Each structure stands twice: as C-alpha cells, then as structure tokens.
Amino acid sequence: MGEILQKSLAKLSSKESVSNFLEDILTPTERIMIAKRLAIALLLNRGWDQDAISRYLKVSTSTITNIKNKLKSSAKGFEQVLNNIESSEEWEQIWLDLQQGLEEIIAGRVGANCKTSKPAV
C-alpha cells in the first residue's frame, strides 16, 4: 500500500489535486502538524533556535529535535522540498512573514513576565 500511495501521489499533477487528496485522507489536525513540521525544517534551515521555533509554532522541543535530526541525517525528501520552496517566488513573502512573527514574539517578551507577555502569533 505504501508503494501504491507513493505512485499515486507522484501522478497528481496539480495543486488542486494534491489539496483535494490531502483534505480527504488527513484530518485537519494532521494537516496542521505536517505544515508545522515543514515550517520547523524551514526555520531550522534558516538558523532559528529551537526555543524561538517552539514559541512561534507552539510545538514541543522534542518535535523540533526530531526534525533537526532528520535534517542532519539523510533527509533527501526534506532537502528537495526545502529547495523547491526556497527557489519559489512565494518564498520571499513567506520568509518576511515568519521573520515578522518572530520579531513580534521577541518584542512582546522583552522585560515582561509571563502574565503580561504579548501572546505568540
């Protein structure tokens, strides 16, 4: 079944087809978690530290460590997808949005305690 799934995914030729399939096969929570794992990989690739990623994406540091270990090992799938994302025209806006989110988190926490900190984006 794994091989059939891989071949079926490879044959999907449009963004809409992929989106429809993912919507049908994954729960909303699973789709969010996959998106967050990809975001973790992107942010690690850009040099963000684990604590900032954890606060920004609201994920555990163990999840981040797992992704970090995958990136250090033979994560050819991540490598290919990250290269595709970073070479796309949309990447610059995505990166600016991520940077702004981090800056808001940091600015909201400087000199403040947990009760008065600005909530994470």
Side-chain angles (χ1 to χ4, degrees), residues 58 104-105 108-109 116-121:
K58 296 182 171 111
E104 288 175 10
I105 290 169
R109 294 191 184 323
T116 60
S117 291
K118 188 180 206 177
V121 176

Side-chain angles (χ1 to χ4, degrees), residues 56-109:
Y56 184 69
L57 295 176
K58 296 182 171 111
V59 295
S60 70
T61 53
S62 63
T63 299
I64 298 166
T65 299
N66 288 337
I67 300 298
K68 188 175 187 176
N69 290 338
K70 288 273 187 196
L71 291 172
K72 285 182 180 179
S73 66
S74 61
K76 297 198 184 302
F78 262 134
E79 183 180 323
Q80 186 175 8
V81 169
L82 295 177
N83 288 338
N84 288 344
I85 291 169
E86 291 190 2
S87 67
S88 76
E89 293 177 13
E90 300 160 336
W91 170 244
E92 194 59 37
Q93 186 59 48
I94 294 167
W95 179 239
L96 290 173
D97 291 345
L98 290 172
Q99 283 182 304
Q100 180 182 357
L102 179 63
E103 288 169 8
E104 288 175 10
I105 290 169
I106 292 171
R109 294 191 184 323

